[in-house]
Amino acid sequence: MFNWIKWLVLSVIALVVIALLGVYFSVRLSLPRLEGNDASAHVVAPVSLARDSLGHAIINAESRADAAYALGFAHGQDRLFQMDLQRKAAAGELSSLVGRIALSVDKQARFHQFRARAKRVFEYLPQWQKDLLITYTQGVNEAINEYSVKPFEYLALGGDIEKWTPEDSILVAFSMYLDLQGGQINHDLARTVLKDRFGEHIYQFMTQPSNFQAALDGSVLAPYTMGVPEFPEELRISSNEDEQARYTGTEPPDIGSNNWAVTGALTDTGSAMLANDMHLGLRVPIIWYRAQLNYEINQSSVSVTGVSLPGLPGIIVGTNDNVAWGFTNANLDNVDWVLLSSEATTQTVTEDIMLPNGKESMELELSEFGPVKEANGQKYALRWVAHQPFAVNLTVNNMDQALTVDDAIAVGRSISIPTQNLVMVDAEGNAAWTPGGAVLERDKASFTAITQSEASSTTLQRTTDLPVYQNPENGRIWTANARVISANDYDRLGDGGYALGARGLQIRDRLFEKSTFNENDFYAIQLDNHAAFLSTWHRLLINTVQDGGSDFSRDRALLTQWGACACADSVGYTLVKHFRRSVIQALFGPILTQVDDAGARSRSLLRGIEPAAWQILATQPESWLPDGFATYNEFLIATYEHSRTELFKKYGESEDFSTLRWGNVNKLTVVHPFAAQIPIVGDKLNMRQVEGFGDTYMPSVQGRSFGASQRLFVSPGHLEDAILTLPGGQSGHPLSPYYTTGFDDYVTQAATPLLPGAIEAVRHWYPKTE
């Protein structure tokens, strides 16, 4: 009997091993071929695609078009599934691949009808850009044709690979609009509902200008002077009510990034210098793809090095050794919600969302101004720059020929992408900033919904009247998603959801601490996790627990030792950050809950709530004191206790509070979207977890799955010293040698060279002859 059971167990184990080996070898068969010689009907001259030890794609061609073909092929080899997800996410077609779990996401995307808009955008492009997309697409599809076994994600889902189209590349650009400007849509509607429900006084109070202003010209917005309004009596929530009544919203992450520059007067070489780190969600594989493109254009040799976006041809951020450029989200206003009258004419269309087995239909209401959404009992139509045929183009590719900052500015004026702070430097020592991207031409930006008559009186077109800030006397330029435009341009260019400004202010101040910079100096600023913003909240919490008696002796010790930084060992930082969050949620939660209940999303309003919170805490008006408390001190003590209790619930009780170390609470966790669905080996798809370093409201931005998606430090003419670190590898294939390469440098804050290293593999193409 025993032997029978033993052999049964061994047989089961053997079958499992055989099955795992079968999976392994099937997955291995989908590894791309990196070497060899091939003929192609889609190139007009010899082309090569090489890789170094990082998997950095080095392309040599005789034309930009042939280089685009090879880049499309490289993207198709290393990032096909990522590209597929991005086109489907923008089009609202994820459910066709992953099933009903994506239905709500697809419905949100279908609101914008981007699949149809992509066709119109493609037709609107100049012919050279159409041709470039077609050639790039041919490269992607050549890579698809080579798969003898589908990438493992398709095997796991049972899905098929669909051929790439030029319109799919436009959809990838639209996916970036959703990432970078989707918050503007929510922000304008939330401001509208806030104003309509609670009146002008509360609206102005909760959306007043930040006290952390660092515009490039030093201008400041007029301060709020209306005082603290009365709290709406009907919204008072008893502190004894069920915990479900508590508002738990948190401010959204600052999608967009840091970039800054100094002129040649502040470097030893005389060349200007640029830093750029774009803050986005972190996942496996990473969003960006290292590439160097070498080719001839107008009888001149071009070499462009930086990061590309799989799904699109060209280098998005990088350098041609004459100039370098980088982006951060500009947050200029490019959204109008149009209040529809009861007589407004609309039509309803049906959108079919395909599923692996069947489909689900949704109805979408449309008006002459755009798709319609209901909020607070009213109908609003969305008019957004992303819905216009001029929303996307490939003009950023023309950075390859820029010789000076002036050339780069000219290119920037024609770029059509989600509007960015475009910072440029050149080898001659010049530096400049300008908004780069599609910006709506308007005499006055909208902060809340506009009327139909206001909408009808404007013609939608992109503006070319954009400010330029070049070679300032102090030699320094900085952006960090907050307002950097002059106060004089504020009414025209608006506020699409600026960051509070504390991060930008800290970067500006760091730049004025030195008179000469090199790449490592810039790296140190990017890694600055000093908690300047939270220092006032730290003082408030110290005073609060001091009034709380002996029960808080351990808390006081930890707060005293907090280190004033988002450091891995700091428990005090965790306590202060979550205390601030709980206080703001308690003070403003009843109002923000009403905004949510009315059909808007309140989270974006938290981004600028700081001055209003401190005015309440400074003046302590009775109407804003939550029910159940006799004094604000009682309220603050109870709020801190609640915050601490919630932290222990989430991260575990510990007498010494060690579970609340910031490195544990904010642990960097970069995962593959399929890891949790694959038993036994799924976690092998993820990057290793790393203790947190950094947070919001400081240059070193990092959340558990959010942060710097790249770190670039470059001075044109001196690329041998340039640095580019990425939070993951080049390839999305888990058996590729390039799956994790680069991640260790990122988390150890090492200086990965921008330029490629020694070549490990080369693939050649030659024109196919008849």
Side-chain angles (χ1 to χ4, degrees):
M1 179 70 175
F2 176 77
N3 287 337
W4 182 82
I5 295 175
K6 180 180 72 173
W7 283 110
L8 178 62
V9 170
L10 289 174
S11 298
V12 170
I13 293 173
L15 288 172
V16 170
V17 170
I18 291 169
L20 289 174
L21 286 172
V23 170
Y24 172 82
F25 285 111
S26 293
V27 171
R28 189 165 186 81
L29 286 172
S30 64
L31 278 168
R33 180 165 63 92
L34 306 182
E35 295 182 296
N37 299 321
D38 297 274
S40 173
H42 305 303
V43 299
V44 298
V47 183
S48 67
L49 166 61
R51 275 139 169 135
D52 69 359
S53 61
L54 288 175
H56 193 155
I58 306 105
I59 292 167
N60 287 281
E62 293 188 15
S63 68
R64 182 196 272 168
D66 282 355
Y69 168 86
L71 184 62
F73 189 89
H75 286 166
Q77 282 193 316
D78 289 333
R79 300 293 189 85
L80 180 62
F81 187 71
Q82 172 194 356
M83 294 161 62
D84 199 3
L85 288 183
Q86 288 205 254
R87 65 175 168 180
K88 283 181 163 59
E93 297 169 356
L94 283 172
S95 299
S96 66
L97 188 62
V98 302
R100 290 186 173 275
I101 192 172
L103 268 177
S104 63
V105 175
D106 279 348
K107 288 179 180 179
Q108 291 176 41
R110 286 295 178 95
F111 181 77
H112 303 289
Q113 297 183 302
F114 278 141
R115 173 64 74 181
R117 297 186 195 280
K119 297 181 186 298
R120 291 195 288 273
V121 167
F122 181 75
E123 292 305 316
Y124 192 82
L125 293 176
Q127 190 60 48
W128 74 266
Q129 295 188 23
K130 292 180 182 177
D131 293 342
L132 196 68
L133 271 183
I134 290 169
T135 303
Y136 173 85
T137 295
Q138 289 165 341
V140 175
N141 287 330
E142 287 278 331
I144 291 173
N145 290 338
E146 285 200 354
Y147 282 108
S148 59
V149 174
K150 292 182 288 189
F152 81 95
E153 297 96 339
Y154 295 98
L155 294 175
L157 291 168
D160 292 324
I161 302 174
E162 299 171 14
K163 288 297 182 71
W164 198 257
T165 70
E167 290 81 7
D168 289 332
S169 291
I170 305 297
L171 286 169
V172 169
F174 280 143
S175 76
M176 297 308 295
Y177 265 101
L178 290 171
D179 277 351
L180 298 173
Q181 287 190 3
Q184 291 188 20
I185 298 170
N186 300 328
H187 192 54
D188 272 23
L189 194 60
R191 287 188 296 207
T192 296
V193 171
L194 177 69
K195 184 176 182 178
D196 288 350
R197 286 186 77 91
F198 299 109
E200 183 73 18
H201 197 176
I202 280 183
Y203 166 74
Q204 293 291 346
F205 175 62
M206 291 179 61
T207 61
Q208 62 182 284
S210 168
N211 49 340
F212 297 92
Q213 297 187 47
L216 290 172
D217 67 351
S219 63
V220 295
L221 300 177
Y224 169 83
T225 58
M226 296 172 64
V228 180
E230 285 291 310
F231 185 83
E233 185 63 30
E234 69 274 14
L235 296 186
R236 301 191 68 84
I237 296 179
S238 169
S239 60
N240 296 320
E241 285 195 31
D242 187 87
E243 284 290 309
Q244 294 299 317
R246 284 185 179 270
Y247 178 79
T248 58
T250 58
E251 64 264 39
D254 285 336
I255 300 289
S257 330
N258 304 322
N259 63 1
W260 63 88
V262 296
T263 63
L266 300 180
T267 68
D268 288 333
T269 65
S271 172
M273 188 176 295
L274 169 78
N276 186 221
D277 56 292
M278 297 181 281
H279 304 152
L280 294 164
L282 303 181
R283 57 182 183 266
V284 180
I286 56 176
I287 188 168
W288 305 114
Y289 186 84
R290 289 176 176 272
Q292 182 182 81
L293 310 182
N294 304 284
Y295 50 88
E296 299 282 325
I297 191 163
N298 296 330
Q299 297 183 328
S300 296
S301 296
V302 167
S303 181
V304 193
T305 310
V307 294
S308 62
L309 177 62
L312 286 167
I315 299 298
I316 304 298
V317 165
T319 179
N320 66 2
D321 205 21
N322 296 304
V323 302
W325 65 96
F327 293 121
T328 70
N329 212 18
N331 289 322
L332 303 185
D333 181 43
N334 275 301
V335 169
D336 290 324
W337 282 103
V338 182
L339 175 63
L340 300 179
S341 68
S342 57
E343 293 81 26
T345 300
T346 65
Q347 60 174 317
T348 301
V349 298
T350 300
E351 293 275 332
D352 290 331
I353 300 175
M354 303 309 296
L355 296 161
N357 296 298
K359 66 180 181 181
E360 176 142 333
S361 298
M362 63 171 283
E363 290 188 343
L364 178 61
E365 189 174 6
L366 303 175
S367 75
E368 62 177 303
F369 304 106
V372 177
K373 177 181 174 64
E374 187 169 328
N376 199 31
Q378 302 277 359
K379 287 185 177 182
Y380 298 92
L382 176 63
R383 191 167 66 170
W384 182 22
V385 68
H387 292 171
Q388 310 312 313
F390 54 78
V392 176
N393 66 28
L394 304 183
T395 304
V396 71
N397 283 268
N398 283 340
M399 283 292 192
D400 60 1
Q401 302 170 75
L403 300 178
T404 66
V405 156
D406 286 333
D407 295 336
I409 291 170
V411 174
R413 290 188 181 281
S414 301
I415 290 173
S416 283
I417 56 176
T419 311
Q420 301 291 294
N421 291 305
L422 171 58
V423 175
M424 303 145 285
V425 297
D426 67 27
E428 297 177 3
N430 303 297
W433 160 89
T434 192
V439 181
L440 290 175
E441 183 173 280
R442 292 181 291 183
D443 293 330
K444 188 175 180 61
S446 64
F447 294 82
T448 56
I450 62 175
T451 64
Q452 285 183 229
S453 60
E454 289 174 314
S456 299
S457 65
T458 58
T459 301
L460 287 178
Q461 58 188 28
R462 66 174 296 171
T463 185
T464 57
D465 181 16
L466 293 170
V468 175
Y469 192 71
Q470 187 170 0
N471 292 336
E473 186 176 347
N474 62 41
R476 298 163 174 87
I477 290 172
W478 57 88
T479 83
N481 314 126
R483 179 184 67 86
V484 292
I485 62 171
S486 172
N488 296 327
D489 290 320
Y490 184 71
D491 285 346
R492 179 171 66 92
L493 297 177
D495 175 1
Y498 290 130
L500 181 67
R503 176 161 46 93
L505 193 65
Q506 194 162 327
I507 291 170
R508 183 203 68 181
D509 292 348
R510 291 289 187 245
L511 287 172
F512 279 94
E513 291 177 353
K514 291 175 65 71
S515 58
T516 306
F517 296 88
N518 59 32
E519 289 83 358
N520 288 322
D521 295 325
F522 271 22
Y523 208 153
I525 296 175
Q526 203 281 328
L527 298 176
D528 177 17
N529 65 353
H530 177 62
F533 169 74
L534 282 182
S535 60
T536 51
W537 288 95
H538 175 256
R539 288 193 293 272
L540 177 63
L541 183 52
I542 283 278
N543 292 335
T544 298
V545 296
Q546 281 177 344
D547 294 337
S550 59
D551 289 346
F552 296 105
S553 58
R554 182 60 180 164
D555 307 67
R556 285 195 292 271
L558 292 166
L559 289 167
T560 301
Q561 301 161 10
W562 80 312
C565 66
C567 299
D569 288 335
S570 179
V571 173
Y573 184 88
T574 302
L575 298 176
V576 174
K577 176 184 175 69
H578 287 266
F579 170 66
R580 172 187 179 269
R581 176 180 294 173
S582 294
V583 169
I584 288 174
Q585 288 172 340
L587 290 174
F588 298 98
I591 293 174
L592 297 176
T593 297
Q594 292 292 308
V595 172
D596 288 332
D597 290 347
R601 297 180 186 177
S602 68
R603 289 182 65 202
S604 65
L605 296 172
L606 289 166
R607 191 173 280 162
I609 207 72
E610 187 76 1
W614 277 108
Q615 285 165 22
I616 292 171
L617 294 172
T619 59
Q620 300 191 356
E622 184 177 353
S623 71
W624 283 83
L625 180 64
D627 285 348
F629 301 107
T631 67
Y632 271 84
N633 197 49
E634 282 185 20
F635 159 65
L636 292 172
I637 290 172
T639 301
Y640 172 64
E641 289 179 318
H642 169 78
S643 170
R644 188 182 61 179
T645 298
E646 292 301 305
L647 282 167
F648 279 136
K649 283 182 182 178
K650 186 170 184 178
Y651 299 104
E653 291 272 1
S654 54
E655 188 174 337
D656 62 355
F657 288 57
S658 59
T659 55
L660 303 188
R661 295 171 63 258
W662 183 243
N664 179 57
V665 170
N666 196 40
K667 189 174 293 182
L668 180 62
T669 308
V670 183
V671 303
H672 191 285
F674 279 13
Q677 282 73 48
I678 299 178
I680 305 174
V681 298
D683 63 336
K684 302 299 182 185
L685 299 175
N686 302 330
M687 299 296 109
R688 63 183 178 89
Q689 285 192 318
V690 180
E691 287 204 326
F693 180 95
D695 191 21
T696 53
Y697 302 116
M698 59 185 58
S700 183
V701 170
Q702 189 239 298
R704 290 181 67 86
S705 57
F706 181 84
S709 62
Q710 45 78 246
R711 297 179 181 134
L712 173 67
F713 311 100
V714 57
S715 183
H718 304 278
L719 301 192
E720 69 278 3
D721 297 319
I723 298 167
L724 174 63
T725 63
L726 297 174
Q730 284 281 90
S731 175
H733 196 297
L735 299 183
S736 168
Y738 310 127
Y739 187 69
T740 63
T741 50
F743 181 76
D744 283 347
D745 277 4
Y746 178 86
V747 298
T748 59
Q749 298 147 14
T752 311
L754 166 69
L755 294 178
I759 300 303
E760 289 191 345
V762 186
R763 186 83 180 262
H764 296 275
W765 289 271
Y766 302 92
K768 181 178 288 186
T769 57
E770 294 298 332

